[in-house]
Amino acid sequence: MEYLDFEQPIADLEKKIKELSELSITDDDVLTPEIERLEERVDELRKSIFSNLTRWQRVQLARHPERPYTLDYIYKITENFVEIHGDRYHSDDKAIVGGFATIDGQSVVIMGHQKGRDTDSRQYRRFGMANPEGYRKAHRLMKLGEKFDIPVITLLDTPGAYPGLEAEERGQAEAIAKNLKMMATLKVPIISVVIGEGASGGAIGIGMGNEVYMMENTWYSVISPESCSSILWKTWDYKEQAAAVLKLTAPDLEDMGIIEGIIDEPLGGAHRDPDQSAKAVKEQLLESLKRLKKMSPAELVENRIEKYSNMGEWEQAAQPA
C-alpha cells in the first residue's frame, strides 16, 4: 500500500504491526494484546485524519496511484462488456475506453477516461488525457446508445484534455464542443460519475449528464489547483491555497447544486477497498437508471437543459441608498 504524506502516522503504526506479526514467538499471548492495541490505535487515527481532510488532501486522494480506474469499475459492476474501438475518422484513443455492457441485466453504454498503472501504460493511456479522437469515439458511442435506446454511463477521471500540438491540429476544442451540443439533446438517460479527477473541458466533454455524482474523495473544477496557483501567483507553491478557494470537492459541488449527490468511499479512500467502492457506484447507477428510465425522451432533454441552464445563477444584493 502506498501512503500519502498526511497518512504517514498511519503508515508508521501499520509497519510496527507488521513487524510484530512477523516475530518468531511461539507464545501468541505475548504479542497479541499489543498488536490489538496498535490496530485499535490505527482505526482511531484513520477516522481522525479522514474526518478532517482539507481540499488539497482530497485532491491527493483522487490522484492516488492505487485508486480504481474506469476499467476496474467496468469489470466489477458490469457483465458482458464489449469494448468499441476507434472514432471512424482518425484512430483509436486509448485514453478513453467504452463499449456496451449490462448491469444486472440492464443494457448500458459505458465509457470513461482510463489512466495507467506503470510508466508504459501511463504513456499508452497518456495519463487519461484524451485526444480529439477520444471524444469522437465517445460521441460515436453515445449516438449508438441513442439509436438503440440504451442509457449512457460516463466515468470521469482526467487531469484534462491532451494539450499537445497534434490535438489542436485535429480539432480538440471542436470535438469537445460537438460532444456538449450532442449530449444536451441526447434522447436517452446520461449518468456521469466523477471517480477521480474531473478537470475542465477534458472531463465535461463526456460528462453532461441528467444526473452527475462524485465519489467522496474526488475533485471537479474548471482548473487544477497547480494551474490556478501558477496563474495567480506565478508558481505552484500555493496549490493548497488554490484548492481551498476553488471549492472543488464533492461537498462543495453538492452545496452549489452542480451534482446530485456523493457516493461514499471506504475509510481511507476508494483504493482501500475497490470492491466496496464498486458496489457503492453500482447501487447509485441502478437507482438512477430506475428513476431516469421513467422519463420520456423529451423530458430527459428538458431535464438536462434546465439543469445546466440553472448553474451559476446569482442574485445581486440591493445597493444601499
Side-chain angles (χ1 to χ4, degrees):
M1 179 66 67
E2 186 169 331
Y3 295 88
L4 300 172
D5 292 343
F6 63 89
E7 296 179 288
Q8 196 55 50
I10 298 173
D12 293 339
L13 283 177
E14 291 189 337
K15 180 181 179 181
K16 184 66 175 177
I17 292 171
K18 182 178 179 181
E19 290 173 350
L20 290 176
S21 301
E22 292 175 350
L23 288 177
S24 300
I25 297 179
T26 56
D27 187 359
D28 292 338
D29 293 337
V30 175
L31 294 178
T32 299
E34 178 63 12
I35 292 174
E36 290 176 349
R37 186 187 70 81
L38 289 175
E39 288 174 341
E40 290 178 2
R41 175 59 183 150
V42 167
D43 290 339
E44 294 171 358
L45 192 58
R46 185 175 289 116
K47 290 176 183 177
S48 174
I49 290 174
F50 284 92
S51 62
N52 295 284
L53 291 174
T54 66
R55 291 185 174 96
W56 173 246
Q57 287 170 339
R58 290 197 188 276
V59 170
Q60 290 178 286
L61 279 170
R63 296 171 173 169
H64 197 287
E66 296 174 8
R67 191 174 180 87
Y69 296 148
T70 291
L71 284 175
D72 298 313
Y73 284 109
I74 287 176
Y75 290 132
K76 286 181 182 295
I77 69 177
T78 72
E79 312 92 32
N80 310 310
F81 176 60
V82 178
E83 187 173 355
I84 302 298
H85 298 275
D87 65 344
R88 299 287 176 88
Y89 288 93
H90 182 268
S91 63
D92 183 40
D93 189 348
K94 307 301 182 182
I96 289 183
V97 297
F100 293 90
T102 58
I103 302 179
D104 285 1
Q106 164 67 56
S107 295
V108 297
V109 170
I110 187 166
M111 70 189 75
H113 305 93
Q114 178 65 26
K115 296 178 177 178
R117 294 289 179 192
D118 53 32
T119 301
D120 289 340
S121 63
R122 285 168 184 159
Q123 291 178 339
Y124 181 68
R125 302 286 184 183
R126 281 191 317 283
F127 298 86
M129 295 186 290
N131 271 323
E133 47 270 25
Y135 294 104
R136 290 177 180 131
K137 175 168 67 173
H139 187 288
R140 175 189 169 204
L141 276 165
M142 286 189 260
K143 293 302 286 185
L144 284 172
E146 182 180 59
K147 177 179 180 179
F148 296 111
D149 194 24
I150 299 174
V152 173
I153 294 169
T154 66
L155 305 179
L156 315 185
D157 186 13
T158 179
Y162 188 66
L165 177 61
E166 63 271 28
E168 295 301 323
E169 289 175 340
R170 296 197 295 274
Q172 183 72 286
E174 180 200 36
I176 293 174
K178 280 188 173 180
N179 276 16
L180 295 177
K181 180 181 178 181
M182 177 270 297
M183 285 185 287
T185 57
L186 201 71
K187 295 178 174 61
V188 293
I190 307 176
I191 305 166
S192 300
V193 180
V194 183
I195 60 171
E197 300 184 86
S200 194
I204 201 172
I206 61 169
M208 184 181 282
N210 290 97
E211 294 187 2
V212 180
Y213 296 89
M214 292 177 67
M215 298 196 71
E216 184 179 356
N217 297 306
T218 62
W219 66 274
Y220 197 15
S221 175
V222 71
I223 193 170
S224 71
E226 293 92 337
S227 297
C228 179
S229 175
S230 68
I231 291 172
L232 295 181
W233 292 283
K234 311 304 180 185
T235 173
W236 281 18
D237 294 343
Y238 296 93
K239 55 185 178 294
E240 294 184 41
Q241 292 93 318
V245 297
L246 281 170
K247 295 185 177 180
L248 40 61
T249 65
D252 293 322
L253 271 73
E254 186 178 43
D255 287 343
M256 290 185 281
I258 294 175
I259 64 171
E260 272 63 41
I262 300 171
I263 300 175
D264 292 336
E265 296 183 19
L267 187 63
H271 58 285
R272 282 281 176 173
D273 192 339
D275 289 337
Q276 183 180 336
S277 300
K279 181 181 178 182
V281 171
K282 181 178 180 178
E283 288 175 352
Q284 182 58 65
L285 291 176
L286 289 172
E287 178 185 322
S288 296
L289 285 169
K290 183 178 180 180
R291 178 167 49 250
L292 294 174
K293 283 187 65 181
K294 296 177 182 178
M295 301 173 69
S296 69
E299 289 172 330
L300 288 168
V301 172
E302 180 62 29
N303 167 273
R304 213 174 298 129
I305 292 175
E306 183 178 357
K307 171 185 170 68
Y308 285 88
S309 297
N310 290 337
M311 288 184 185
E313 285 188 348
W314 57 281
E315 294 181 5
Q316 184 172 347
Q319 298 296 321

